[in-house]
Structure formats: structure tokens, C-alpha cells
Amino acid sequence: MSVPPTHSTDSPTPTNAPEHSSSRVDITEKPALAAGSGAAFLAFLLILAITAGSVVLAILGAIAADAGEPGGRLCAIVGSVGFFVSFFLYTSFTIVVPGETSVRRFFGRYIGTVRRPGLALVPPLTTGRKVSIKVHNFETSELKVNDLDGNPVNIAAIVVWQVADTARAVFAVEAYEQFIRAQAESALRHVATTHPYDEPGPGETSLRGGTDLVSAELATEVAARVALAGLEIVEVRISSLAYAPEIAQAMLQRQQAGAVIAAREQIVEGAVTMVDQALKRLEADDIVTMDEERRAQMVSNLLVVLCSDQRTQPVVNTGSLYA
């Protein structure tokens, strides 16, 4: 809703300044005054009969007038008028196919929308614009945006939508199909900048890890942006997501380094557990008695064997550890 501007009393508005009023088109869909297929078909047959009768009457009247019979000229005039009136009444018929509507206007004024499919009888001299209410979908162009951490990413989304209010779609915006495309890309750019690509912090959702949450947030924002055009968002899904080419290689190396570190942590944790179990088993079964130095040497050898990247070569010690 537009708020009228306020003017200060300290600086009066010049009298020669032009006044401008900007407001959105406040219009909503309403059903048009129209008869259904049954009544429209009967009316069509009636008008067809009137047309045929008028043509016959005009021809007979013309023949009678040429023959000099009284009333022949009047019959010809009545037949001609009836023909033109029936031709005028044919403008009251329109055909609506399933999945489409007919937005009716009478000399530029919106009078309603016909949604019932089939033959419809509407007020004469009205013009109609067909508006599809089928479910549409399109994919946005791949946008290059910076995520929450400032990293450039390429992202695209698929938007599924349909017309919910035909009057708003026709009269509130210039071209609703171009309007929803522009608003979808704008919303996608905004949502992408409010989330990191990956490695989210506490309370954050990443673009890669929280695809469902990001898609729901994107659908809500697109729906809010296109509501004034009478459009309904069915679903929005991210279709493409990747780092920009200039940083893709560096980010891949970082991800590989993170994977190596995670693997190393798991290997070390498993190796320590295995060494601990081996020492406890040797002592519990009284297989060998080791002092602290022998225990440390065995732990070192086992960790080298279990944590090494390459295959270790065994060395047989034939002497004493203390020699």
C-alpha cells in the first residue's frame, strides 16, 4: 500500500511543482458473468436460427419489393436488421480449453475471468485474453555470486510455478513470465550470499550440505516477491552449485587436505587402540614381561607399522636391546 508523502510546514511546496501519484494496480480476480456450456449451446442454436430466419426474410422481402407487393420492403429491412443483430450476438461466445482461462474486458474495464472449460456465453462486445493456469517451470541462468565467506560460486535453480490470480497476472505487471524470471534470479542471488558454500559455523546452513533448507528458504523468498503478480510458487530446487573456476582448484586442494587429515586422525586413533589392546593382551596372558624401555620400544615399532603410508620392512634383532 502506498503511503502519501508528507510535507514540512517550514519549506512549502512550490505552486508550480507537478504532482505525481504512484500506486500499484489494486485488482483481484473475480468470476465473469457467463453461462455454462449447456446454456451457451442452446443460445448458439437460437442465434443460428435467428440468423437463418433473418437471411430468408431479407431475401423474400427483397423479392416481394421488386414485385411491388406491399410490405416487401419492410420485410427486407427487418431481415437485414435481424441478420446484423445476430452477427453482433455471436461476439458473446468464447471457448475455454482445459488448463486455460479467459480474462474478459469491456471497453478496457476488467469484468471477470472465465475458468470453466468449454463453450461459454459472455456479455457481448467484451474482449478476452487467454491466460494459462498450467504448472510451468524454468531454470534460471547460472549466476556467479559470493557466498557468506566471500568465495565466488556458480549457482542455478529450477522454479516451478503457476498463475493463481489471473487478474493480477494480466494487469498488475507488464509481463508476468519475464517478471518471475527476474525476481527468481534476484532471490537466488540474495539467498546464496547469506549462506557459506560449506563448513558452516554454529547455527548456519551451508549451500552444499543444507540443500533442502536453502531450497525452502529460496521458495519462500521468490513467493513473496511474485505475490503482487498473482503467481504461486510450487517448488524451487537448486540445480547447479559449484565453486567458480578461478578458485575451484584451490578449494579442491583444501577439501583433499581436509579429507587426508580426517583419514589420518582415524588411522592414528585405530592404531593407538590396537597398540593398547596388544600390550594388555601380552601382559594378561603373561607372554612377556617388559619394563618401561621395552614397552616404549614396542609401542614405537607398532605405531610405525600401523601408521606408515608405505609397507614397512621387518628387521630381525638377534642381539639384546641393552647391548
Side-chain angles (χ1 to χ4, degrees):
M1 182 177 64
S2 301
V3 179
T6 57
H7 302 283
S8 173
T9 55
D10 297 333
S11 56
T13 306
T15 56
N16 57 352
E19 296 182 358
H20 300 279
S21 61
S22 60
S23 61
R24 296 176 181 173
V25 177
D26 187 12
I27 191 171
T28 56
E29 180 181 326
K30 62 180 180 180
L33 181 62
S37 299
F41 183 71
L42 293 177
F44 179 79
L45 294 179
L46 178 61
I47 296 174
L48 186 63
I50 293 175
T51 303
S54 299
V55 171
V56 172
L57 184 61
I59 294 175
L60 294 179
I63 295 175
D66 292 340
E69 297 182 1
R73 187 176 184 83
L74 180 61
C75 291
I77 294 175
V78 172
S80 300
V81 172
F83 175 79
F84 286 108
V85 169
S86 62
F87 184 79
F88 165 78
L89 293 177
Y90 280 120
T91 61
S92 301
F93 296 98
T94 184
I95 298 177
V96 180
V97 300
E100 290 187 354
T101 62
S102 179
V103 179
R104 310 303 300 182
R105 289 174 293 181
F106 183 73
F107 291 102
R109 182 180 180 85
Y110 172 67
I111 63 171
T113 300
V114 181
R115 282 181 172 264
R116 181 182 298 175
L119 182 65
L121 180 64
V122 296
L125 295 180
T126 59
T127 57
R129 174 178 173 179
K130 296 186 181 299
V131 177
S132 174
I133 55 174
K134 300 176 183 177
V135 176
H136 304 262
N137 74 91
F138 67 91
E139 184 175 9
T140 65
S141 57
E142 192 171 85
L143 304 178
K144 183 178 180 181
V145 299
N146 293 332
D147 66 353
L148 185 62
D149 297 331
N151 299 319
V153 298
N154 293 338
I155 187 171
I158 296 177
V159 182
V160 183
W161 62 281
Q162 66 180 152
V163 176
D165 191 313
T166 58
R168 288 183 177 274
V170 173
F171 301 110
V173 294
E174 183 65 26
Y176 61 88
E177 292 184 349
Q178 299 177 5
F179 178 78
I180 190 174
R181 287 181 177 272
Q183 294 301 322
E185 292 187 358
S186 177
L188 177 61
R189 187 181 298 275
H190 176 259
V191 171
T193 58
T194 59
H195 297 277
Y197 181 87
D198 55 5
E199 298 183 359
E204 295 179 346
T205 302
S206 66
L207 295 173
R208 188 179 67 172
T211 305
D212 292 338
L213 295 177
V214 174
S215 297
E217 180 181 346
L218 181 59
T220 301
E221 181 159 348
V222 176
R225 289 171 178 260
V226 301
L228 64 91
L231 306 180
E232 178 185 357
I233 301 300
V234 179
E235 184 185 24
V236 179
R237 286 287 176 183
I238 295 177
S239 60
S240 175
L241 179 63
Y243 279 115
E246 57 266 26
I247 67 166
Q249 186 63 31
M251 291 302 176
L252 178 60
Q253 293 177 355
R254 189 184 74 172
Q255 292 175 1
Q256 291 174 345
V260 170
I261 293 174
R264 284 292 181 184
E265 290 178 352
Q266 188 173 0
I267 291 174
V268 171
E269 182 179 357
V272 171
T273 302
M274 293 172 66
V275 170
D276 180 61
Q277 292 176 354
L279 292 175
K280 289 181 179 179
R281 181 70 179 273
L282 290 173
E283 293 178 354
D285 295 346
D286 198 17
I287 297 176
V288 64
T289 301
M290 295 178 289
D291 55 14
E292 292 299 327
E293 186 175 356
R294 288 180 179 275
R295 181 188 293 268
Q297 183 68 24
M298 184 174 183
V299 169
S300 176
N301 292 337
L302 288 175
L303 287 178
V304 170
V305 172
L306 294 174
C307 298
S308 177
D309 285 337
Q310 299 178 356
R311 187 169 183 176
T312 57
Q313 298 295 330
V315 177
V316 178
N317 185 8
T318 60
S320 173
L321 181 64
Y322 302 100

